[in-house]
Amino acid sequence: MHGPQDATPLHPHHHRTTPPPIPDVFDPRLYAAGVPHDRYRVLRDHHPVAWQDEPAVLGWPAGPGFWAVARHADVVRVLKDAATYSSYLGATQIRDPAPDDLPFIRRMMLNQDPATTTAPGARAGDRGPCDHGRLRRLVSRAFTPRLVERFEARVRERARTLIASALELAQARAKDGAGDGNGDGHGNGDGTFDVVTAVTDDYALLNLADLLGIPAADRGLLLHWTQRVIGYQDPDEAPPPVLGPDGEPVNPRSPAMLRDMFAYARTLAAHKREHPGDDVLTTLAHDPELTTPELEMFFFLLTVAGNDTVRSAAPGGLLALAENPGEYERLRNGTVGVGTAVDELLRRHPPVLSFRRTAARDTELAGTRIAAGDKVVVFHASAHHDERVFTDPHRLDLSRSPNPHVAFGDGPHVCLGAHFARLQLRVLYEEVTRALPVLRLAAPPRRLVSHFINGLKSMRIEAPA
């Protein structure tokens, strides 16, 4: 029977006081009101590795519970130590996959362990743990210098076009008093626009489609798949859940729910072999080492992770800038470099809130005993606001250096697309500062209901008159 155990207190006087109760950081509905920083602080100071119950919520069944890891040093240790904290045993989401789905889910690179680790319980001949390094090398070859150079030019033009279009429409509608009845985000007659629906959603989606080489007519499929897989906890984002024979919702990452995406990946790869382009999917489709199932899994990973990383980080960074006008002005006037600014904005608003590992053996973390098979979940936004590592962590400091955030992970699973994500964020922030002398919120943002993705569904910005 698992339960919370107190780790060594941070300050000696804590020996003489009863620590506060362990707060819940699991319920995805908490995050609709904002990242629960007060709860994270309680965990860091009093319960750095804390047992969390996993009750049924939003129609999804209950789970066995997990250990929440809140301090930066412990988060980094878990991410780096794949031999102890496995991605392979139970994959990387808090919710356990169905046992029948686990072999399928383990085919994804994200859910594999490096070749140096052994995964207890893996069947003989299962290539999963051994393929991780090989698959990373294959996909890395697709990101050529020529592709990066061409990609940046298109990204900048897209950022300028989307921002200019949003501003023009908002200003035009302000003049004639037109509303936003079509929900396109381009203003409601009051000189404002929704930067999420008018700029950042399309920016992330179209950039990814360019990178992969997806035809323009098919690009709406990317958003559909992303919302289905990432936004499944949010009633506004997800379609009605598909129920299995037992009446429980089917995991959106299960083979049955991904069949249409995989069929599309095979069709597109066949097209790229006949009609090659200067894009990632063409490179992967022509790679003799890559099997068809591996290509399907790459397509899934790049489509969902590639889209939602920027889709979440971009408006989150703009929100932090809007809430800190002094820092926005420093970025506009060149007092701080955009490179360090990108890292600080990723620290303040990491695109991913949590990642799960499974203990491969009995171990101890921050004085807490963890049994083999236990779920261990790291919380990035808590690590990013750990006072033991970051001075005044709740202050936005665009010149903060060093800045050891883990927005793109750490260890063997550090994000392969981090360079492309940074590039897109850097270009977007450069173009926003050129277009908007002041970045001012017109209404509080609406947040995604999720303990996994740190997403914004809506954020209205004032357009200059």
Side-chain angles (χ1 to χ4, degrees):
M1 180 72 181
H2 297 295
Q5 304 172 42
D6 291 335
T8 304
L10 181 62
H11 301 297
H13 69 262
H14 288 169
H15 286 291
R16 299 190 297 271
T17 60
T18 302
I22 295 173
D24 171 30
V25 294
F26 164 73
D27 191 334
R29 294 169 296 190
L30 287 170
Y31 295 83
V35 176
H37 285 296
D38 289 349
R39 296 181 184 223
Y40 287 164
R41 177 72 188 262
V42 172
L43 292 183
R44 288 194 303 272
D45 286 354
H46 302 283
H47 311 284
V49 178
W51 185 255
Q52 294 279 310
D53 291 326
E54 200 181 337
V57 62
L58 297 171
W60 295 91
F66 61 91
W67 296 105
V69 182
R71 289 183 187 166
H72 185 276
D74 299 324
V75 166
V76 170
R77 178 176 166 188
V78 170
L79 292 175
K80 286 187 171 181
D81 185 0
T84 304
Y85 304 100
S86 169
S87 298
Y88 180 80
L89 292 178
T92 49
Q93 302 295 296
I94 293 178
R95 183 169 180 252
D96 286 323
D100 290 348
D101 290 348
L102 192 53
F104 165 81
I105 290 170
R106 283 172 170 167
R107 283 167 35 198
M108 193 186 308
M109 185 172 60
L110 185 70
N111 300 322
Q112 296 177 1
D113 291 332
T116 53
T117 69
T118 55
R123 293 190 302 269
D126 193 327
R127 300 171 63 212
C130 305
D131 271 3
H132 178 258
R134 169 182 156 269
L135 293 175
R136 282 184 71 93
R137 284 192 297 274
L138 290 182
V139 79
S140 294
R141 293 205 301 244
F143 295 125
T144 64
R146 178 184 167 196
L147 187 69
V148 175
E149 185 179 351
R150 182 186 64 81
F151 184 65
E152 176 164 2
R154 289 197 179 186
V155 163
R156 189 169 300 280
E157 181 57 33
R158 179 166 292 121
R160 285 180 181 166
T161 301
L162 286 169
I163 294 165
S165 174
L167 291 176
E168 287 168 14
L169 280 166
Q171 290 160 348
R173 288 176 177 173
K175 287 178 182 175
D176 62 19
D180 192 18
N182 59 5
D184 62 6
H186 292 111
N188 58 4
D190 61 357
T192 72
F193 66 97
D194 187 342
V195 74
V196 175
T197 55
V199 179
T200 56
D201 272 3
D202 282 348
Y203 181 70
L205 185 77
L206 297 175
N207 289 344
L208 179 69
D210 256 3
L211 192 64
L212 294 178
I214 293 174
D218 296 342
R219 292 178 175 188
L221 291 170
L222 291 183
L223 183 59
H224 169 70
W225 289 325
T226 299
Q227 288 176 326
R228 192 170 74 191
V229 173
I230 294 292
Y232 72 93
Q233 294 175 324
D234 192 307
D236 289 347
E237 291 271 305
V242 175
L243 301 182
D246 58 359
E248 299 288 357
V250 178
N251 190 323
R253 293 171 176 79
S254 70
M257 295 297 288
L258 297 177
R259 197 169 287 129
D260 57 340
M261 185 190 293
F262 285 178
Y264 180 82
R266 290 193 300 273
T267 300
L268 185 57
H271 176 77
K272 295 293 181 181
R273 291 184 190 106
E274 296 295 322
H275 308 281
D278 186 14
D279 54 65
V280 168
L281 210 67
T282 293
T283 304
L284 295 177
H286 285 84
D287 194 319
E289 290 187 54
L290 201 64
T291 68
T292 296
E294 287 169 347
L295 186 139
E296 292 170 355
M297 276 299 192
F298 269 137
F299 184 78
F300 168 75
L301 185 61
L302 292 167
T303 294
V304 175
N307 181 24
D308 227 69
T309 299
V310 176
R311 186 173 174 235
S312 302
L318 294 175
L319 173 61
L321 291 170
E323 291 175 335
N324 293 271
E327 290 299 282
Y328 183 70
E329 180 55 29
R330 288 213 301 152
L331 186 61
R332 277 193 76 240
N333 66 26
T335 304
V336 294
V338 71
T340 58
V342 166
D343 277 317
E344 176 68 347
L345 294 168
L346 284 165
R347 184 190 70 83
R348 284 289 284 139
H349 188 101
V352 173
L353 290 163
S354 66
F355 255 125
R356 174 251 181 108
R357 299 290 188 262
T358 304
R361 53 179 176 246
D362 291 349
T363 188
E364 188 173 294
L365 184 65
T368 300
R369 292 184 300 278
I370 295 172
D374 283 0
K375 294 194 275 191
V376 179
V377 178
V378 297
F379 283 81
H380 297 72
S382 177
H384 287 182
H385 294 80
D386 188 344
E387 300 79 3
R388 295 151 192 80
V389 175
F390 300 99
T391 302
D392 199 2
H394 290 277
R395 180 172 64 89
L396 186 71
D397 177 5
L398 296 184
S399 55
R400 187 183 295 271
S401 182
N403 195 340
H405 66 77
V406 290
F408 295 122
D410 205 335
H413 285 286
V414 69
C415 177
L416 269 173
H419 175 72
F420 281 91
R422 287 179 196 278
L423 185 156
Q424 291 173 73
L425 295 170
R426 172 175 59 79
V427 169
L428 179 70
Y429 299 146
E430 286 170 351
E431 295 304 321
V432 166
T433 56
R434 289 191 180 105
L436 291 170
V438 177
L439 187 61
R440 187 176 291 126
L441 292 179
R446 292 175 57 241
R447 297 182 55 88
L448 189 68
V449 177
S450 175
H451 53 214
F452 175 47
I453 292 295
N454 196 9
L456 297 180
K457 297 188 288 189
S458 172
M459 187 170 77
R460 299 204 75 83
I461 296 290
E462 293 183 8

